[in-house]
Amino acid sequence: MEKNKINVGIIGFGTVGTGAAKILLENSGVIKKRTGIDFVLKRIADLDIKRDRGIKIPQGVLTTDANAILNDPEIDIIVELMGGIRPAKDFMLNAIKNKKHVVTANKALLATEGNEIFGEAEKNGVEVGFEASVAGGIPIIKVLREGLVANNIIAVYGIINGTSNYILTKMTDEKVEFSDALKEAQRLGYAEADPTFDIEGIDTAHKLTILSSLAYGIPLSYNEVYKEGITKITAQDIEFASELGYKIKLLAITKLSNGAIEMRVHPTMIPNEYLISKVDGVFNAVYVEGDTVGSTLYYGRGAGDMPTGSAVVADIVDIGKNIAAGTVQSGLRMQDSGLRIKKMEDIESMYYFRFSAMDEPGVLSKISGILGNYNISIASVIQKGRRLGGSVPLVVLTHTAKERDVLSAVKEIDNLHIVSDKTIFIRVEGKEE
Ligand code: NAP
Ligand code: HSE
């Protein structure tokens, strides 16, 4: 017999939990029209059920005991929105062993413990929905699993941390200090409980782990992602980048190059004319290139209660439809493609260098000589101002070079007595001139 009522229990009534609850309560009519199924928000668990969350929750729905949801035989789908690793992982595994389907936005948990969670889901014949774990309201998981299923994926480039993008945008457009922009992102509910995750590229790396796994059929491999955050980006570099025709964005990159997969997160200079460089504020965008579809770009809000809640509820509805139709699928069912992950030293890129060099004759030739010794070819140079006897920024853009060579060259240059501070380097995307 077809099931036309699905009971849902949410654990974690914070930013995303509130958004998901609001959508389930307020949009149940339109969802029923589209699916023929009643999605009922049966219980919500949170440690604090007294705080006003700005929505009216029916009597008897709120509880402080997550187990009251996990052990309720009438609940079909458990929605984990508390975040963190423990006890979230135990709750999810309990739910799965109780044959309940799970929906989560917890990219940290999936990136680090997801292989076990998806394995258990497959064994128990239940689904794990995780659309909300990457890029908030943008349905990028569905794009990779369904929309582009007929493609070999050539590359994925993403701005997938709303907090960092918000901070970089404020620093670029309003000349706001890093710390003030971060405080505002926290106030707006974009930042993780520990904002280090956002600004040090950890959250982006969690999300990239999930995207790489879907794009290339590899196990979730968070420990192999190269990560570098935005904390060392200065107003001066933003200004030089702008003068050269670039924006600085925290970019997540995964691509297939010479038979191996690159997985890296770092500030990147992107040419102003690229659409992705225009993605500002809390907005996210993911560029996916497939061998049959070509270039595609997906854009939307990457964080916040309602956009993320929208993705959570989309998963609930998908799973509900599968329950109704008697067809369940595990979250990440795929063969291991066996593709190797490339070491960061083996990647190739163009580079921006900002050397702190003494303002005296012969300095440029010393630095360019070392770059030349490591096969790093210069595309352009900027030196502004004069400070005889002092240091000035010397900015160099390169042609494509090997990361390994760049690291060696920078080490040698930083040891020169004519260099007063550590060299800043930023990887550059775009067409080689
Ligand atoms: P949040 O606002 O901190 O909400 C988490 C809620 O869970 C809090 O109310 C917390 O209560 C509650 N909680 C903690 N331990 C619990 C337990 N044992 N039982 C019941 N409730 C418990 O976090 P959030 O921003 O909504 O994020 C939730 C998840 O979504 C995280 O995995 C996050 O990475 C992910 N995510 C967030 C966004 C976003 O825009 N915020 C977007 C995408 C994905 P207390 O406050 O009392 O501790
Ligand atoms: N802290 C995350 C961000 C939330 O800023 O993008 C969405 O995953």
Side-chain angles (χ1 to χ4, degrees), residues 72-357:
D72 182 337
E74 289 183 0
I75 290 186
D76 306 285
I77 303 175
I78 302 281
V79 185
E80 181 279 304
L81 296 174
M82 50 187 283
I85 305 299
R86 288 224 132 86
K89 179 181 175 187
D90 307 307
F91 288 173
M92 278 175 71
L93 288 176
N94 270 351
I96 289 168
K97 283 174 187 149
N98 281 345
K99 308 285 181 208
K100 293 187 190 300
H101 305 277
V102 173
V103 170
T104 183
N106 195 336
K107 55 270 167 156
L109 177 56
L110 292 183
T112 55
E113 309 279 339
N115 292 321
E116 181 184 347
I117 291 168
F118 287 115
E120 283 301 314
E122 187 138 23
K123 259 194 241 156
N124 285 279
V126 295
E127 292 196 31
V128 177
F130 53 103
E131 185 62 71
S133 65
V134 183
I138 306 172
I140 192 64
I141 304 297
K142 223 178 184 43
V143 164
L144 288 170
R145 289 170 77 188
E146 297 176 25
L148 301 184
V149 71
N151 285 260
N152 287 300
I153 302 298
I154 294 166
V156 180
Y157 293 84
I159 294 175
I160 49 178
N161 182 266
T163 302
S164 315
N165 204 41
Y166 182 86
I167 292 172
L168 288 174
T169 304
K170 283 225 157 215
M171 287 175 73
T172 307
D173 294 352
E174 298 172 31
K175 317 273 179 260
V176 163
E177 290 296 335
F178 179 90
S179 56
D180 291 337
L182 171 61
K183 266 188 221 132
E184 186 62 4
Q186 286 176 297
R187 192 188 65 76
L188 291 166
Y190 303 151
E192 295 303 307
D194 177 357
T196 319
F197 274 41
D198 295 296
I199 59 182
E200 294 294 2
I202 299 166
D203 177 70
T204 308
H206 287 146
K207 293 165 178 167
L208 180 67
T209 303
I210 296 169
L211 293 180
S212 295
S213 182
L214 288 167
Y216 296 114
I218 53 168
L220 294 152
S221 311
Y222 170 73
N223 289 331
E224 301 195 54
V225 178
Y226 172 82
K227 2 178 183 358
E228 195 183 304
I230 60 167
T231 50
K232 294 192 187 78
I233 297 297
T234 63
Q236 195 179 33
D237 294 312
I238 290 178
E239 228 173 287
F240 277 126
S242 162
E243 219 170 290
L244 291 160
Y246 293 86
K247 285 261 193 76
I248 300 180
K249 297 284 180 191
L250 182 64
L251 210 61
I253 301 175
T254 185
K255 63 178 174 183
L256 201 52
S257 64
N258 301 327
I261 300 167
E262 294 185 16
M263 293 204 291
R264 47 191 170 106
V265 172
H266 48 71
T268 308
M269 279 172 41
I270 307 174
N272 282 337
E273 63 274 16
Y274 281 28
L275 273 180
I276 203 163
S277 81
K278 302 181 200 319
V279 174
D280 284 334
V282 70
F283 280 86
N284 280 195
V286 185
Y287 167 92
V288 186
E289 193 180 335
D291 63 347
T292 62
V293 73
S295 299
T296 62
L297 183 67
Y298 310 88
Y299 171 81
R301 284 183 190 276
D305 53 355
M306 300 305 271
T308 314
S310 160
V312 167
V313 176
D315 272 344
I316 294 172
V317 171
D318 267 356
I319 294 174
K321 286 199 295 191
N322 288 341
I323 296 173
T327 54
V328 291
Q329 335 167 347
S330 86
L332 259 184
R333 187 185 302 141
M334 61 178 56
Q335 300 299 315
D336 181 355
S337 62
L339 283 166
R340 182 174 63 79
I341 296 164
K342 206 179 239 192
K343 289 201 170 63
M344 191 59 187
E345 308 90 84
D346 293 333
I347 71 129
E348 291 185 359
S349 175
M350 295 179 288
Y351 294 82
Y352 157 101
F353 293 113
R354 177 166 54 79
F355 301 108
S356 299

